[in-house]
Amino acid sequence: MKRIYPLLSLLLLIIAFASCKKSNSDIKPGTGRALVLDAVGLQKAAADNAFTFNLFKTVAPGNTGNLFISPLSVGFAIGMTSNGANGPTLDSIKKAMNYNGFTQDQINSYYNQLLTQLPVLEPNTTLKIANSIWYRQGFNVQPNFLTTNSNYYKAKVQALDFGNPASTTTINNWVSDQTNGKIPEIVSSIGSDDIMFLINAIYFKSIWANKFDPAKTHKMAFNLSSNSQVQADFMAGYDMPCNYYADDSVQVAELPYINKRYSMMMVMPGNGKSVNDIIPTLSSAKWQTWASKLSPTNVDVLMPKFTFGYDVILNGALSKLGMGIAFSPAADFTGINPGGGLDISYVKQKAYVSVDESGTTAAAATVVVISTTARLTPQFTADHPFIFAIREMNTGLILFVGIMNNPLQN
């Protein structure tokens, strides 16, 4: 019998497709169905997995705590945003997101397929995917931009008075509702330059095909990368059916959720290696190689329960991947407003994950904030002492210069 020893490090948590089933009175009937994509969709899914590891390898270095992201959520949010980009800005987004080789219509159609199919693959799994666009009341948005995102991404579109603090509450309430309260806030404030918020929210909750017995959960040492230990609650599944692979460098275990539709695939470094040794070598090809070598095996699984949240600003990571121009004054988002003068202020994601004896709950929200490259209405309020001069405008010749310290002084 093979054994997975206490997990020294959790390399990556990815929701994938998997196997197994367990009967229970609370389980809904039906086995669900597999995700079916057309030929272009399959190519785009492979490109998405390549982006997943590109982003993961860019975000992970230097991280000393837990990390949890949803590249798919980023894909939805940037996919909507790309419908407003033109020229080199669109080219840079396609490079960063691994969209090259796909037309804009193919990209939109792919996300529409995911949006339509993923939530209904398995009757005992709750998977919600929602998109929204919130823009400053009075701002002229290209109708085609809003229509495209409404049709393909089923985006909720609403104009708000961004000067009213209640607008922040409205946006955050929507995100909280879509993530069942796991992401209660994605926007902390609305700046005077902010024009638009494009948001994706994903919520996932499923039960293990083979649940862990809570009575067998016990304290064990979890070995930290700092060579110290913490005592954690470890779930124990003895002789548990799952998919397993091991070689000199890694142990891989795939624990399926109910009805063979989703799974958690875990990769644990072996042979004295650490997570940081493996991260630089990660790629979708290597991941697929590990997945292809998994085989049904009864395994003694010991793994910690865990719950944590993670948030990250993705400007730096996405810029490193190639879309830096989108964050600069040179950005071209004339597909949103023909007057231009817009760029991405920031891309932020918040995520949440909880793993226990019964299953997994995960959520993420990603916001792309579009702002003006200059203030909409510059304001000059001379309400404190200032210097002033009278000059000839052609040559700049100054005739008078002075200081205003007190407007009531004669």
Side-chain angles (χ1 to χ4, degrees), residues 35 179 214 238 255 273 275 320 325 341:
L35 175 66
T179 60
Y238 298 108
L255 304 186
K273 292 184 180 294
V275 165
K320 286 180 181 178
I325 189 175

Side-chain angles (χ1 to χ4, degrees), residues 43-56:
Q43 294 173 15
K44 181 65 178 68
D48 261 13
N49 277 351
F51 167 71
T52 287
F53 292 104
N54 289 340
L55 182 65
F56 182 73

